[in-house]
Amino acid sequence: MSETRTVHTYCRICEPTCGLVATVDADDRVTLKPDKSHPVHGGFACHKGINFTEIHHDPDRLNHPLARRGPAKSANTIGSFEQLDWSSAFTQIAERINAVRAKHGDDVFAMYTGNPSAFNATAREGARRFAGQVGVRYAFGSGTQDCTNKFAASERVFGTANLHPIPDFAHTRYFLSIGCNPRISHMSFVHTTDPMGKMRDIVKRGGKVVYINPRRIESASPATGEVVLIKPDTDLYFLAALIHEIVANRWHDEAYLRAHGSRVGELLAFVANYSADRVAGVTGIDATTIRTIAREFASAEGASVHCSTGVNMGRQGTLAYWLVHMLSLVTGNLGQRGGNLYSPGYFPAATVGKPKSDDPFFDTEFGRIRTITGSLPGNLLADYIESGKVKALFCMSGNPLLSMGGESRLRKAFAKLELLVVIDIYPNATSTLADFVLPATDWLEREDVNAISVGFHTEPYVQYTPAVVAPVAERKPEWWIYGKLAAAIGGADPEASATFDPLSRVSRQLAGIGLTLDELKAKEGHVFRMPDPEPELLFAIGVQNGNKSVDCCPEFFTPDLAQAEVIFNELEAEPADALKLITLRTNYMVNSWMHNVPSLKRDHALDNPLHMHPDDAARRGLAAGKEIRVSNHYGSVIATVKFDETLRPGVVAMTHGWGHGGNSRMRIASNHPGVNVNELLPTGPGSFERLSNQSFMTGIPVDVALAS
Ligand code: SF4
């Protein structure tokens, strides 16, 4: 009799959360395959998800709690660690927490939460308990590195941070994709299976797909759509010009706009400044092309629009996302078949995202700032530590040293922390400066529900997964670690509390569609498929402004609209041969992780060279493969030149998340260290968007010259 068993589960690396079938042998070795029986994914998955087993079985994983035993911390020391049992770890951390509190008071504790936590429906409950128990005063998260602009825009335009209308791929005749490369990223803030299949289907049925990007991205092909090259960090002006041309030529839907929008005149006054002719030089897109896109979008029988990280990470991501919503509204596509829809899924999250205040800003010594989705600006983390406001930091599923701007500065700051606790699956760069490193389970080792997809699904479903295998060694789920830490400093023990259920929130939300968690668990593949989103849901359920109208020009944005003109003038004045740095996503990593996976270390993914157009290189006398210095006001890195004709001249690109030199605890990663391009990013006051706390991470001016 075979001793293998199979488990229906799903991937938690990126937003499609593809269905997988895990086969587990008698020795608990796991193999993963796409789940052909999944009612939505039907066998779609990528190599990253399938190869996740290499992470699960990786001998370099964290398997036991570790306590630092030396050497004294400085920016570049790598800790030596002693293995502990869990009980000792909690006792020692509690002692350190109490010592910090006795010395500095209650208001010096901070948390940093990384991107994988968003894919973990069970983590939040334990983290919430711990934050309450220890009295976390300052919260930071990876959202301010790639997406908080979206929450900041929607909260003012729709009256809820949680409404992000998704393209109706099944019916759209024109899809405008800005700063998004679905073949590589599989999309963000829209959860759809096989996104390139969706692009192919649009083209096949006679529709059009246009990607706006600073490089000829991998997604483009005759079968999947064309690229229009744009200069980085100018998306706001491109979008403004589209709306300007649509309105000026009366291609818009006046009745729809007036019926659903307020403050329309203020919107039109803003875009009036940005005709196609005026923005052509700044955006790098000629006026005829802008007008053509405007006319085709406005005249399509169902046109949809989406923007992603290439837009989010610029200086004006909130305003750009505002105009994404406006483009959809003025053309009568918002909440219409083939346009952009609201897909509530099993819980209408839009109803719980209303802004708490008309003025969320408060005074600090770093300027007047706000929180967004609970987080302070990540680019102020070093400032908070350097100023002595933060003395202890708890970091879960994140690697801020590599994923945020200014690694050198962060290293010095982290070395000053009196307590740094890292909860992760790997001994990552941040953990080298930690006092305690606690081993978390991976997603094969914990139960879960795909709660991250609420509000984003083109084909809504909810899926439960049990843990595929028991945790290896002493790995524990984050909810348990944080819950036990809370208990160690006086809270209720999660294991002793009958009321503690890490999926309690999901259970409450499922009740809204009359489903219990047990019923979901009993369904085939643990999946419950819901009806596809209907156009009327956007205004009926999604929009939260009192009169159900869309605020076409929130007063909240007023200072930033004026600033947009200042930035436009600066862009216009830039020298013609200026170089702008963008980040390059690859299929061989995700954000700053997956560097220790042998099968993802292929010939073209062994390091992170500087991609440069040959014409730009020739002007600087640089040959392919030459060692160069990339530098700017904020820092410099040494890399090699890789010629790349997909780039718009004037644009250079590097992949972020590298820089593993010296971290020998991750052997594969340290054999292919690369350099951390985030050294070239600004940090501190003025380095993030006022409206959203989003760090400035793309369109960064740099110089490139031979290294010696
Ligand atoms: S597309 Fe994303 S979710 Fe799907 S298998 Fe690949 S990494 Fe996992």
Side-chain angles (χ1 to χ4, degrees), residues 10-20 41 44-50 119 185-186 195 443 590 594:
Y10 63 92
C11 179
R12 275 148 279 174
I13 294 173
C14 76
E15 296 187 33
T17 57
C18 302
L20 301 171
H41 295 288
F44 176 79
C46 82
H47 64 286
K48 283 183 282 194
I50 304 301
F119 294 82
S185 68
H186 299 111
W443 46 258
V590 175
M594 297 196 86

Side-chain angles (χ1 to χ4, degrees), residues 470-537:
V472 170
E474 293 299 322
R475 302 175 190 172
K476 296 286 186 186
E478 286 89 339
W479 69 263
W480 184 92
I481 297 171
Y482 262 141
K484 285 290 208 180
L485 261 181
I489 54 172
D493 188 328
E495 288 184 317
S497 166
T499 60
F500 191 93
D501 171 8
L503 286 173
S504 58
R505 189 161 175 266
V506 171
S507 294
R508 283 195 303 278
Q509 294 176 344
L510 282 175
I513 57 165
L515 190 68
T516 68
L517 198 55
D518 284 341
E519 287 167 346
L520 178 61
K521 289 177 186 176
K523 295 207 177 285
E524 193 175 345
H526 329 293
V527 179
F528 178 65
R529 175 80 159 88
M530 283 163 285
D532 287 347
E534 292 296 330
E536 61 270 17
L537 297 181

Side-chain angles (χ1 to χ4, degrees), residues 197 199-207 223:
M199 303 302 111
R200 260 190 301 279
D201 287 348
I202 295 169
V203 174
K204 239 189 241 169
R205 62 174 178 262

Side-chain angles (χ1 to χ4, degrees), residues 237 298 335 354 387:
Y237 309 108
K354 296 174 191 168
S387 68

Side-chain angles (χ1 to χ4, degrees), residues 76-119:
N76 293 310
T77 55
I78 295 192
S80 64
F81 291 88
E82 176 192 17
Q83 193 172 303
L84 299 177
D85 59 46
W86 277 108
S87 172
S88 304
F90 291 135
T91 302
Q92 290 181 23
I93 295 170
E95 285 169 4
R96 295 283 293 273
I97 289 172
N98 292 335
V100 169
R101 195 189 304 284
K103 195 167 158 193
H104 301 290
D106 292 336
D107 290 339
V108 293
F109 297 95
M111 282 174 103
Y112 178 91
T113 306
N115 164 280
S117 301
F119 294 82

